[in-house]
RNA sequence: GCCCGAGUGGUGAAAUCGGCAGACACAGCGGACUUAAAAUCCGUCGCCCUUUUGGGAAUGGGGGUUCAAGUCCCCCCUCGGGCACCA
């Protein structure tokens, strides 16, 4: 588009880009000795796909505005950037084009770095972190060894989520509605594999409790994490199976209702069900039910299954009353939650009620008072605020009280125990892929018949990923086909040994990368404790809400592990978290298939980086979804062009004396500074900051004739232009740098002190007061700002419109809110 | 089903502490400048009734509190997101 006012974004932007590349004045001060308060501003690092998308631009525009604002406020700001560079796409590209993953990844990084610079993002490249390079991933291996030593990393055979499209295992967090998080169309299969796990469950309680301290995190994210961890307090109770040595341990949150238990229900995959498989008739039914659950699980219809089950013909004894209850296998019992077995209390659990009704099992009520508002007895009572009946010595006790006492009773009797269960499972980190961190373990016949892992020692690190390998998607880990990698020497016996061929989940990389930024070139440790101590916690972390439970739970876990290893002192990685909204186009999420993808490069080419970024901040508050409208970007260009023209015109302005217009401009200026500063102080509604700057510019434009006529002093003009440029600096950095030079300021605008709003100068002499009669607006009267209640009221009464409304009426009450409004209440 | 978040003009939105609803933009419409267009500038611009003047209803819907409600309280609807046979 043609741009007026002599504003040539391409010229300005390439000029400053070159300067910023060359000089490092915008980087964080090295030390703690700089005397400034620190501010660690962090945006989530991108995956190097090869190109930034417009959502990135928004994310980083928010962070960069904050970083630059804090520079100007005098903070020592760490604003780093890196690359989450391991992962499957690199391998897929290799499969498709034959380009080695490393080469593909590094060239993508180079391309995206160029884009970042083109966008004018003020990142501290001196601390750049690239997770696929050995100087980073060796520390993943180092942490792994530490965790192994601490019993936090272990290997076990278990059912794992297998994505056929990725040809690898997925963590529970990477399975969404039974489908792969990267392949929506692909159902995840369950496979039995021996895998590496990290014991995140050990920290489950602390991860839940810590959420209460994270007041700077969105409630939404905290709730999601709470749900994900799924902490549930309850009781284990042992039911001994009659005529067998077997005990079925059930988990219940309502041990108080145990006198109402009329059956024990076990999952088809429960160990006792396996035991029963020796009976052919039962085996068939059990297998059918396992298959049924599997199908339902895969199509995400587990909750929709009709509750079915069958009697095993066996009985178990309720330890509280010695009663025998039948043992059933139920399709609504999940093997992987609790103990995979429940006591069924149809009177007080909706699901048990449904099941019992279907099969005619008895319903025994043990909680009184369960009537509805109309006095009708309810079929069951799920609430735990009732009073027990027919429950031996606990009869008459409140449910809540009984829960504690009965659990204690069971514990004392040796047939039960208070417990806490979690939905959260240990984090499966093994991946059968090439492009990831090798797991620093070997297997040797000298230990456990070659089945037990032997840890390498620190001095063996890094275990380097072999570079020249051919990648295929068949037959297990690609690394398994590289003899030079697999064959190694046993650290224990010195004989020939085999390396672990799985690699680590890439979420390991992103679990601690932000610590590395503080000491990115440390060759002897992941980081220096003192440096982390200075910078942590992150003051502000910014990213998409899609990471609420993956990255953000893993990295909290990692922080706690590192703390317990004595490496850091903080309990949580980030004091404040901000999740920005999505960028949408034509009302829908952008996607290649919809053809509504906005290219940042194209935007920069057409409108410049400054306008593109500024639009991303102007079009909506940052926490909300943003509809991308190219006309809006053009509008920002018009605005910048206007500023460009005015700054150019008045840069060397001399003469003039402040009349009313000069005073008005100064007043508007200080109002604007106040508004923009306020927006930065927490709410980040940059859309309103920018609009207030637009208002200021519109005022200057309207005042042009007066300025030209000498009614504004040079000092006022200068003050307005200078602060205007400073206020634009966080949003349009190239532009601001250029304008700073135009008005003859020396030094770097981003290091100049942020302007202070002078309240006295910002104050209006006169205010307009709305006048209402019975709450309805009648008119607006102008009064001196300092007017008292009487003056305001009499000014309002004096208005002829108001007077007309008051004729013949009785004024019951007059509400006067100074500087706000007058309301006459009349009859 | 449970838990978050949202719902305001043609569009993106503003109203931060209960005090003029629609700031600032985008789009539209009219005009100036121009041979013409672009760019720029000026004006206009929520809806309904009214020639004007003016009047009326209005922030998803319904109730309430208040002199005053987009904002607070209760109930409901719609959309987005998360969790879901979790015992």
């Amino acid at each position: 588009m043609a741009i007026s006012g002599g504003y040539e974004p391409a010229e300005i932007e390439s000029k400053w880009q070159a300067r910023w590349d060359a000089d490092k004045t915008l980087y964080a001060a090295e030390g703690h000795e700089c005397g400034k308060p620190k501010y660690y501003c962090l945006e989530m690092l991108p995956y190097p796909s090869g190109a930034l998308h417009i959502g990135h631009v928004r994310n980083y525009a928010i962070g960069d505005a904050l970083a630059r604002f804090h520079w100007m406020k005098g903070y020592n700001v760490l604003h780093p950037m890196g690359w989450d560079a391991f992962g499957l796409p690199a391998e897929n590209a290799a499969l498709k084009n034959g380009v080695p993953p490393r080469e593909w990844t590094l060239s993508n990084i180079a391309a995206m770095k160029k884009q970042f610079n083109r966008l004018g993002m003020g990142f501290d490249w001196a601390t750049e972190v690239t997770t696929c390079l050995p100087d980073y991933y060796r520390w993943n291996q180092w942490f792994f060894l530490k965790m192994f030593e601490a019993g936090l990393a272990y290997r076990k055979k278990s059912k794992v989520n297998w994505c056929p499209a990725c040809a690898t295992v997925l963590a529970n967090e990477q399975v969404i509605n039974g489908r792969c998080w990267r392949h929506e169309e692909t159902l995840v299969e369950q496979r039995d594999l021996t895998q590496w796990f990290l014991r995140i469950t050990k920290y489950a309680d602390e991860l839940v409790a810590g959420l209460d301290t994270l007041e700077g995190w969105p409630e939404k994210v905290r709730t999601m994490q709470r749900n994900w961890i799924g902490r549930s307090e309850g009781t284990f109770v042992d039911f001994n199976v009659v005529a067998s040595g077997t005990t079925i341990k059930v988990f219940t949150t309502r041990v108080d209702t145990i006198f109402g238990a009329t059956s024990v229900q076990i999952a088809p995959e429960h160990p006792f069900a396996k035991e029963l498989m020796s009976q052919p008739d039962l085996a068939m039914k059990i297998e059918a039910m396992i298959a049924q659950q599997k199908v339902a699980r895969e199509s995400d219809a587990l909750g929709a299954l009709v509750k079915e089950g069958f009697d095993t013909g066996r009985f178990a004894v309720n330890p509280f009353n010695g009663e025998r209850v039948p043992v059933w296998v139920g399709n609504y019992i999940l093997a992987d939650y609790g103990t995979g077995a429940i006591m069924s209390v149809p009177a007080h659990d909706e699901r048990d009620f449904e099941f019992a009704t279907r099969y005619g099992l008895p319903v025994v009520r043990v909680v009184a008072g369960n009537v509805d508002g109309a006095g009708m007895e309810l079929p069951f009572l799920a609430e735990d605020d009732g009073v027990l009946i027919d429950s031996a010595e606990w009869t008459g006790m409140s449910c809540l009280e009984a829960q504690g006492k009965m659990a204690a009773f069971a514990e004392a009797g040796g047939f039960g125990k208070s417990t806490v269960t979690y939905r959260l499972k240990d984090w499966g980190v093994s991946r059968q892929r090439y492009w990831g961190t090798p797991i620093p373990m070997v297997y040797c016949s000298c230990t456990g018949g070659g089945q037990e892992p032997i840890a390498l020692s620190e001095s063996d690190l890094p275990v380097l990923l072999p570079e020249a390998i051919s990648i295929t998607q068949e037959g297990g880990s690609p690394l398994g086909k590289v003899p030079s990698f697999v064959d190694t020497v046993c650290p224990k016996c010195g004989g020939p040994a085999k390396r672990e061929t799985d690699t680590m989940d890439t979420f390991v990389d992103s679990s601690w990368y932000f610590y590395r930024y503080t000491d990115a070139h440390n060759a002897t440790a992941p980081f220096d404790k003192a440096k982390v101590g200075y910078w942590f916690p992150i003051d502000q972390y910014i990213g998409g809400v899609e990471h609420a439970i993956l990255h953000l739970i893993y990295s909290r876990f990692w922080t706690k592990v590192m703390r317990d290893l004595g490496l850091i002192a903080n309990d949580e990685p980030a004091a404040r978290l901000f999740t920005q909204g999505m960028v949408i186009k034509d009302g829908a999420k952008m996607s290649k298939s919809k053809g509504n993808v906005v290219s940042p490069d194209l935007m920069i080419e057409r409108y410049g980086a400054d306008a593109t970024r500024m639009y991303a901040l102007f079009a909506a508050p940052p926490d909300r979804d943003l509809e991308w409208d190219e006309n809006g970007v053009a509008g920002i260009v018009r605005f910048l062009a206007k500023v460009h023209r005015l700054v150019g015109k008045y840069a060397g302005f001399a003469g003039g004396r402040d009349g009313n217009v000069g005073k008005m401009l100064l007043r508007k200026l200080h109002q604007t500074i106040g508004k923009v500063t306020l927006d930065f102080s927490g709410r980040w509604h940059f859309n309103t900051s920018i609009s207030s700057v637009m208002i200021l510019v519109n005022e200057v434009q309207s005042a042009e004739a007066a300025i030209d006529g000498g009614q504004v002093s040079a000092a006022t003009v200068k003050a307005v232009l200078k602060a205007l440029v400073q206020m634009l600096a966080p949003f349009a950095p190239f532009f601001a740098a250029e304008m700073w030079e135009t008005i003859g300021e020396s030094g770097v605008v981003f290091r100049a002190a942020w302007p202070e709003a002078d309240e006295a100068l910002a104050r209006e002499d006169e205010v307009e007061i709305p006048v209402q009669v019975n709450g309805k607006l009648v008119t607006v009267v102008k009064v001196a700002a300092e007017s008292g209640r009487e003056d305001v009221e009499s000014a309002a009464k004096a208005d002829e419109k108001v007077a007309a409304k008051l004729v013949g009426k009785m004024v019951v009450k007059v509400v006067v809110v100074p500087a706000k409004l007058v309301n006459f209440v009349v009859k």
Side-chain angles (χ1 to χ4, degrees), chain A residues 468-510:
Chain A
I469 81 154
S470 77
I471 293 181
T472 67
Q473 216 164 342
E474 277 107 50
S477 299
L479 285 178
K481 292 185 213 117
V482 185
S484 61
F485 175 82
V486 176
D487 294 325
T488 185
V489 175
C490 175
K492 230 174 174 177
C493 70
K498 303 272 184 202
R499 282 190 199 279
E500 169 67 61
T501 56
D502 284 353
T503 54
M504 295 183 205
D505 183 3
T506 57
F507 278 97
V508 167
D509 310 336
S510 54

Side-chain angles (χ1 to χ4, degrees), chain A residues 595-634:
Chain A
N596 61 349
V597 176
V598 174
S599 150
D601 284 335
L602 188 65
M603 289 297 127
I604 295 171
E605 210 170 284
R606 285 187 185 157
Y607 308 102
D610 282 322
T612 302
R613 298 170 57 146
M614 201 161 152
Y615 175 74
L617 298 176
F618 176 67
D623 49 343
R624 231 193 270 189
D625 285 352
L626 181 155
E627 167 75 32
W628 195 267
D629 175 10
E630 213 176 312
N631 285 317
V633 190

Side-chain angles (χ1 to χ4, degrees), chain A residues 21 58 144 186 199 226 312 363 366 410 665 789 817 819:
Chain A
D21 282 351
R58 187 185 196 194
F144 198 92
T186 309
R199 215 178 288 280
R226 239 176 242 121
T312 64
V363 178
V366 291
L665 281 181
R789 307 178 80 91
V817 185

Side-chain angles (χ1 to χ4, degrees), chain A residues 547 687 737:
Chain A
H547 293 109
N687 53 331

